[in-house]
Amino acid sequence: MLSFNNLPFGYLCIDFAGEPAYNNINGSWFSSHDYAVIHRMAFGKEGRGKGASKATLQLVKKLCISKNVFAIRVDTDPHNKAMQHILEREGYKYCGTVIFQDSPKLAYELIF
């Protein structure tokens, strides 16, 4: 959970165990090495437009580097244009689609 002035305004899950749904991609991942997965990244209105997503993704990258993991994968709904914009702005590349929780998702990956 992320907080500002001791009030929660966002959350995300970072998973280093991989995501089985990512084994079947309609497209291809850029890397076959270990990766972290970001799930359920969301911010309340208090965190929007203030650099929270940029700072959060930089912290995730820093955490990955500390664990010798140099790739991050994430999926998002096709209608979630805000998340697509954030991922593309931060250098994530579109890889194809995956089925996650019985729904097609756009898959992105960042290699560093």
Side-chain angles (χ1 to χ4, degrees), residues 2 5-6 9-10 12-13 17 22 30 38 41 46 48-49 61 63 65 80-81 83-85 88 91 102-103 108 110:
L2 306 168
N5 290 337
N6 294 320
F9 71 85
L12 75 154
C13 171
Y22 290 179
F30 293 105
I38 298 174
M41 186 169 98
E46 299 84 4
R48 295 184 189 147
K61 186 175 175 182
L63 175 64
I65 291 169
N80 191 342
K81 301 299 183 192
M83 186 63 172
Q84 292 168 44
H85 170 75
E88 291 168 5
D102 298 323
S103 176
Y108 289 83
L110 178 70

Side-chain angles (χ1 to χ4, degrees), residues 11-77:
Y11 66 91
L12 75 154
C13 171
I14 306 165
D15 186 353
F16 288 94
E19 171 52 60
Y22 290 179
N23 292 336
N24 298 312
I25 185 169
N26 184 8
S28 74
W29 298 108
F30 293 105
S31 170
S32 60
H33 302 291
D34 291 341
Y35 61 92
V37 179
I38 298 174
H39 283 301
R40 297 176 294 282
M41 186 169 98
F43 298 99
K45 63 181 177 180
E46 299 84 4
R48 295 184 189 147
K50 298 180 177 113
S53 62
K54 183 177 200 65
T56 299
L57 291 174
Q58 288 173 349
L59 287 171
V60 171
K61 186 175 175 182
K62 189 174 182 178
L63 175 64
C64 290
I65 291 169
S66 77
K67 295 180 170 290
N68 291 318
V69 173
F70 302 99
I72 303 171
R73 294 179 182 175
V74 62
D75 63 80
T76 190
D77 288 317

